[in-house]
Short mmCIF file of all heavy atoms in Angstrom, two decimals:
data_model
loop_
_atom_site.label_atom_id
_atom_site.label_comp_id
_atom_site.label_asym_id
_atom_site.label_seq_id
_atom_site.Cartn_x
_atom_site.Cartn_y
_atom_site.Cartn_z
N ASP A 1 -9.73 4.25 -1.03
CA ASP A 1 -10.31 2.92 -0.83
C ASP A 1 -9.29 1.81 -1.11
O ASP A 1 -9.21 0.82 -0.38
CB ASP A 1 -11.52 2.72 -1.74
CG ASP A 1 -12.67 3.66 -1.40
OD1 ASP A 1 -12.77 4.05 -0.22
OD2 ASP A 1 -13.44 4.00 -2.31
N LEU A 2 -8.53 1.97 -2.18
CA LEU A 2 -7.65 0.91 -2.65
C LEU A 2 -6.31 0.87 -1.92
O LEU A 2 -5.64 -0.17 -1.88
CB LEU A 2 -7.41 1.06 -4.16
CG LEU A 2 -8.65 0.89 -5.04
CD1 LEU A 2 -8.35 1.35 -6.46
CD2 LEU A 2 -9.12 -0.56 -5.03
N PHE A 3 -5.88 2.01 -1.36
CA PHE A 3 -4.60 2.09 -0.67
C PHE A 3 -4.81 2.69 0.73
O PHE A 3 -4.29 3.77 1.03
CB PHE A 3 -3.61 2.93 -1.47
CG PHE A 3 -3.32 2.41 -2.84
CD1 PHE A 3 -4.07 2.84 -3.93
CD2 PHE A 3 -2.32 1.47 -3.06
CE1 PHE A 3 -3.83 2.35 -5.20
CE2 PHE A 3 -2.06 0.99 -4.33
CZ PHE A 3 -2.81 1.42 -5.41
N PRO A 4 -5.55 2.01 1.60
CA PRO A 4 -5.90 2.60 2.90
C PRO A 4 -4.70 2.86 3.80
O PRO A 4 -4.75 3.75 4.64
CB PRO A 4 -6.85 1.57 3.51
CG PRO A 4 -6.50 0.28 2.83
CD PRO A 4 -6.11 0.66 1.44
N ASP A 5 -3.63 2.10 3.64
CA ASP A 5 -2.46 2.24 4.52
C ASP A 5 -1.42 3.20 3.99
O ASP A 5 -0.54 3.64 4.75
CB ASP A 5 -1.81 0.87 4.75
CG ASP A 5 -2.75 -0.10 5.46
OD1 ASP A 5 -3.53 0.37 6.32
OD2 ASP A 5 -2.71 -1.30 5.15
N ASN A 6 -1.46 3.51 2.71
CA ASN A 6 -0.49 4.44 2.13
C ASN A 6 -1.14 5.27 1.02
O ASN A 6 -0.60 5.40 -0.08
CB ASN A 6 0.75 3.71 1.61
CG ASN A 6 0.40 2.46 0.80
OD1 ASN A 6 -0.76 2.23 0.48
ND2 ASN A 6 1.41 1.68 0.47
N ASP A 7 -2.30 5.81 1.34
CA ASP A 7 -3.00 6.61 0.34
C ASP A 7 -2.26 7.91 0.01
O ASP A 7 -2.37 8.43 -1.11
CB ASP A 7 -4.44 6.91 0.78
CG ASP A 7 -4.53 7.61 2.12
OD1 ASP A 7 -3.55 7.54 2.89
OD2 ASP A 7 -5.58 8.21 2.42
N GLY A 8 -1.50 8.42 0.97
CA GLY A 8 -0.72 9.63 0.69
C GLY A 8 0.29 9.39 -0.41
O GLY A 8 0.44 10.21 -1.33
N ALA A 9 1.00 8.27 -0.36
CA ALA A 9 1.98 7.95 -1.39
C ALA A 9 1.29 7.72 -2.73
O ALA A 9 1.78 8.14 -3.78
CB ALA A 9 2.78 6.72 -0.99
N ALA A 10 0.14 7.04 -2.71
CA ALA A 10 -0.60 6.78 -3.95
C ALA A 10 -1.07 8.08 -4.59
O ALA A 10 -0.97 8.27 -5.81
CB ALA A 10 -1.79 5.86 -3.68
N VAL A 11 -1.60 8.98 -3.76
CA VAL A 11 -2.02 10.29 -4.27
C VAL A 11 -0.82 11.07 -4.80
O VAL A 11 -0.88 11.73 -5.84
CB VAL A 11 -2.76 11.09 -3.18
CG1 VAL A 11 -2.96 12.54 -3.60
CG2 VAL A 11 -4.10 10.45 -2.87
N GLY A 12 0.31 10.98 -4.08
CA GLY A 12 1.51 11.68 -4.51
C GLY A 12 1.98 11.24 -5.89
O GLY A 12 2.34 12.07 -6.74
N ILE A 13 1.97 9.93 -6.13
CA ILE A 13 2.38 9.43 -7.44
C ILE A 13 1.40 9.87 -8.52
O ILE A 13 1.79 10.26 -9.63
CB ILE A 13 2.49 7.89 -7.39
CG1 ILE A 13 3.73 7.50 -6.58
CG2 ILE A 13 2.56 7.29 -8.79
CD1 ILE A 13 3.88 6.02 -6.36
N THR A 14 0.11 9.85 -8.21
CA THR A 14 -0.90 10.28 -9.18
C THR A 14 -0.74 11.75 -9.53
O THR A 14 -0.77 12.14 -10.70
CB THR A 14 -2.32 10.02 -8.64
OG1 THR A 14 -2.46 8.63 -8.36
CG2 THR A 14 -3.37 10.45 -9.64
N LEU A 15 -0.56 12.59 -8.52
CA LEU A 15 -0.36 14.02 -8.78
C LEU A 15 0.95 14.28 -9.51
O LEU A 15 1.04 15.20 -10.33
CB LEU A 15 -0.41 14.81 -7.47
CG LEU A 15 -1.76 14.82 -6.73
CD1 LEU A 15 -1.69 15.73 -5.52
CD2 LEU A 15 -2.88 15.26 -7.65
N ALA A 16 1.98 13.48 -9.20
CA ALA A 16 3.24 13.62 -9.92
C ALA A 16 3.06 13.31 -11.40
O ALA A 16 3.68 13.96 -12.26
CB ALA A 16 4.29 12.70 -9.31
N ALA A 17 2.22 12.33 -11.72
CA ALA A 17 1.92 12.04 -13.12
C ALA A 17 1.28 13.25 -13.78
O ALA A 17 1.54 13.55 -14.95
CB ALA A 17 0.99 10.83 -13.22
N GLY A 18 0.44 13.98 -13.02
CA GLY A 18 -0.16 15.20 -13.54
C GLY A 18 0.89 16.26 -13.84
O GLY A 18 0.80 16.97 -14.84
N GLU A 19 1.92 16.37 -12.98
CA GLU A 19 2.98 17.34 -13.23
C GLU A 19 3.77 16.97 -14.48
O GLU A 19 4.24 17.85 -15.22
CB GLU A 19 3.92 17.43 -12.02
CG GLU A 19 3.24 17.84 -10.71
CD GLU A 19 2.48 19.15 -10.80
OE1 GLU A 19 2.77 19.96 -11.70
OE2 GLU A 19 1.59 19.37 -9.96
N VAL A 20 3.94 15.67 -14.74
CA VAL A 20 4.58 15.24 -15.99
C VAL A 20 3.73 15.69 -17.18
O VAL A 20 4.24 16.17 -18.19
CB VAL A 20 4.78 13.71 -16.01
CG1 VAL A 20 5.32 13.26 -17.36
CG2 VAL A 20 5.71 13.27 -14.89
N GLY A 21 2.40 15.54 -17.03
CA GLY A 21 1.50 16.02 -18.08
C GLY A 21 1.63 17.52 -18.30
O GLY A 21 1.65 18.00 -19.43
N ASN A 22 1.74 18.27 -17.18
CA ASN A 22 1.91 19.72 -17.28
C ASN A 22 3.19 20.10 -18.01
O ASN A 22 3.25 21.11 -18.73
CB ASN A 22 1.93 20.35 -15.89
CG ASN A 22 0.59 20.26 -15.19
OD1 ASN A 22 -0.44 20.05 -15.82
ND2 ASN A 22 0.60 20.38 -13.88
N ALA A 23 4.25 19.31 -17.78
CA ALA A 23 5.56 19.61 -18.37
C ALA A 23 5.65 19.17 -19.82
O ALA A 23 6.36 19.81 -20.62
CB ALA A 23 6.66 18.95 -17.54
N LEU A 24 4.94 18.10 -20.21
CA LEU A 24 5.12 17.52 -21.54
C LEU A 24 4.04 17.91 -22.54
O LEU A 24 4.34 18.23 -23.70
CB LEU A 24 5.16 15.99 -21.44
CG LEU A 24 6.35 15.37 -20.71
CD1 LEU A 24 6.26 13.85 -20.76
CD2 LEU A 24 7.67 15.84 -21.32
N LEU A 25 2.78 17.85 -22.14
CA LEU A 25 1.69 18.00 -23.12
C LEU A 25 1.59 19.41 -23.72
O LEU A 25 1.39 19.53 -24.94
CB LEU A 25 0.37 17.59 -22.48
CG LEU A 25 0.23 16.10 -22.17
CD1 LEU A 25 -1.13 15.80 -21.54
CD2 LEU A 25 0.41 15.26 -23.42
#
């Protein structure tokens, strides 16, 4: 909804944050 023109990039950054969580936590 919030990033209709580049939702793929927004999702990519969000999932990348999850990978940081997987590596650090």
Side-chain angles (χ1 to χ4, degrees):
D1 295 332
L2 296 168
F3 300 92
D5 297 325
N6 45 10
D7 57 340
V11 169
I13 288 175
T14 301
L15 295 185
E19 301 304 339
V20 175
N22 293 341
L24 294 182
L25 292 180

